[in-house]
Amino acid sequence: MTLIEELKQRGFIHQCTNEKALSDLLNSGSIKFYIGFDCTAKSLHVGSLIQIMIMRLFQKYGHHPIVLIGKGTTKIGDPSGKDETRKILSSKDIDTNASNLEKVFNKFLDFQSNNKAILSDNSLWLDKLNYINFLRDYGKHFTINKMLSFDSVKIRLEREQSLSFVEFNYMIFQAYDFFELNKRNECILQIGGSDQWGNIVNGIELIRRSIGKESFGLTTPLLTNANGDKMGKTADGAIWLNAEFFSSYDYWQFWRNIDERDVFRFLKLFTDLPIGEIDKIESDSKDNINLAKI
């Protein structure tokens, strides 16, 4: 089974640019890819687990994950999926949150093997940008027309909700992140949630127009439960991935109590169990899914 085939069988792919070319690259050797995580909260919640698990799967197939900690972009705030401007955090809070995020990645990814995961921080280049030079060199590759067409902007404007100029810049800086990682680490693939599609395409275009290289984008589906609710939060609050903010017992209870309709879909997304084994569990447990949960 190829990586793309397993990604599809597990339900990880929502959209992909030039899937055939990407699949050929993945099958021919090791590549570097990245996913970005801003430091807007004290921990990642379970809604981010789908991104972590796809990195883990890529690494199993011999590829190098780059975990991009967004200390720089956190200072701006991603408008994607938000009805209002994010709260601006202090540098101290951003550093604390970033440290908590790193603890999570150390549990799920391998930072020691030949295809070890790489930890990076976009403040290394974003904090040093000269804005005038940046606009002159890279702003010409972005059109207002296209930027206004992306959901992260369009939805806010259609609802007549304010969108600050700072937030409007976010998609340009995310595109620049991809550009920098391509130059620094030969990173050729960005992965993100479905709401990041426009930002990812911007990065691919910036790389192509600036240095003439081909790169790729892949998005994962919005993670919802059988009732259509977003994963990650409950009536009692967020399901944090850091144990100091959410106990191991409560975390186990969360998964133990999921809707029976979600069990086998979530087994494919959130465990390392082989597809065939999951299918067998599903077949053997048709009349007693509750027993399969145990």
Side-chain angles (χ1 to χ4, degrees):
M1 182 186 298
T2 66
L3 173 53
I4 288 290
E5 289 171 344
E6 184 164 355
L7 289 171
K8 287 181 175 179
Q9 288 189 28
R10 288 187 179 273
F12 278 113
I13 297 181
H14 177 66
Q15 291 172 294
C16 183
T17 63
N18 202 343
E19 182 183 311
K20 175 63 167 61
L22 176 59
S23 181
D24 290 343
L25 274 175
L26 293 173
N27 294 337
S28 62
S30 179
I31 71 159
K32 293 187 178 74
F33 68 97
Y34 95 94
I35 301 179
F37 299 86
D38 281 350
C39 318
T40 52
K42 61 183 180 180
S43 171
L44 295 174
H45 60 61
V46 76
S48 299
L49 196 54
I50 191 170
Q51 309 296 340
I52 297 172
M53 293 305 294
I54 199 172
M55 285 194 290
R56 186 177 172 91
L57 186 57
F58 265 78
Q59 191 169 36
K60 186 187 83 170
Y61 276 83
H63 304 291
H64 290 265
I66 299 174
V67 179
L68 184 64
I69 303 295
K71 287 187 181 181
T73 41
T74 300
K75 297 173 184 176
I76 298 172
D78 183 3
S80 301
K82 298 296 176 183
D83 293 333
E84 57 185 23
T85 302
R86 290 180 186 269
K87 178 185 175 182
I88 300 299
L89 301 179
S90 68
S91 295
K92 181 179 179 181
D93 287 339
I94 291 173
D95 288 342
T96 299
N97 292 347
S99 178
N100 291 337
L101 265 58
E102 291 175 21
K103 294 176 185 177
V104 173
F105 297 119
N106 284 326
K107 292 181 180 179
F108 286 92
L109 300 175
D110 184 352
F111 287 86
Q112 304 296 328
S113 63
N114 290 333
N115 63 315
K116 64 184 179 181
I118 300 167
L119 197 65
S120 191
D121 168 13
N122 63 11
S123 68
L124 294 176
W125 51 83
L126 292 182
D127 283 359
K128 298 175 183 177
L129 281 181
N130 178 302
Y131 193 55
I132 295 296
N133 291 339
F134 175 76
L135 289 178
R136 183 191 62 194
D137 294 338
Y138 304 107
K140 60 188 177 184
H141 298 303
F142 301 89
T143 66
I144 295 296
N145 312 62
K146 191 169 185 179
M147 292 169 72
L148 288 173
S149 71
F150 292 134
D151 285 344
S152 59
V153 173
K154 184 169 63 174
I155 292 173
R156 287 270 284 274
L157 296 180
E158 287 175 349
R159 294 174 178 172
E160 298 184 354
Q161 294 163 335
S162 63
L163 178 73
S164 71
F165 179 70
V166 174
E167 292 176 289
F168 192 64
N169 277 266
Y170 188 94
M171 66 179 73
I172 298 179
F173 288 124
Q174 183 173 329
Y176 187 72
D177 283 344
F178 197 0
F179 175 74
E180 277 290 333
L181 290 173
N182 184 270
K183 288 196 306 178
R184 292 167 180 250
N185 301 96
E186 298 182 334
C187 174
I188 63 168
L189 169 66
Q190 181 182 174
I191 300 174
S194 57
D195 60 345
Q196 296 297 313
W197 179 252
N199 295 343
I200 292 173
V201 170
N202 265 342
I204 293 171
E205 285 293 298
L206 179 60
I207 292 168
R208 181 182 63 81
R209 293 179 180 181
S210 297
I211 52 181
K213 289 185 177 181
E214 184 178 20
S215 54
F216 303 89
L218 186 154
T219 61
T220 58
L222 177 67
L223 186 60
T224 58
N225 60 26
N227 293 322
D229 300 322
K230 283 186 179 181
M231 290 285 289
K233 294 185 179 180
T234 68
D236 297 325
I239 312 300
W240 301 116
L241 297 183
N242 289 75
E244 60 265 40
F245 305 125
F246 199 78
S247 75
S248 299
Y249 175 75
D250 288 336
Y251 187 76
W252 180 85
Q253 283 285 1
F254 169 76
W255 292 108
R256 177 66 179 82
N257 294 328
I258 62 170
D259 192 300
E260 292 184 356
R261 295 170 292 175
D262 290 322
V263 170
F264 302 107
R265 180 166 64 99
F266 286 179
L267 279 176
K268 291 177 181 177
L269 288 170
F270 301 122
T271 76
D272 296 326
L273 290 174
I275 296 290
E277 186 173 337
I278 295 171
D279 289 341
K280 185 177 186 307
I281 295 171
E282 183 174 11
S283 177
D284 293 344
S285 308
K286 287 181 179 178
D287 299 323
N288 197 346
I289 295 179
N290 193 52
L291 181 62
K293 285 185 179 183
I294 299 174

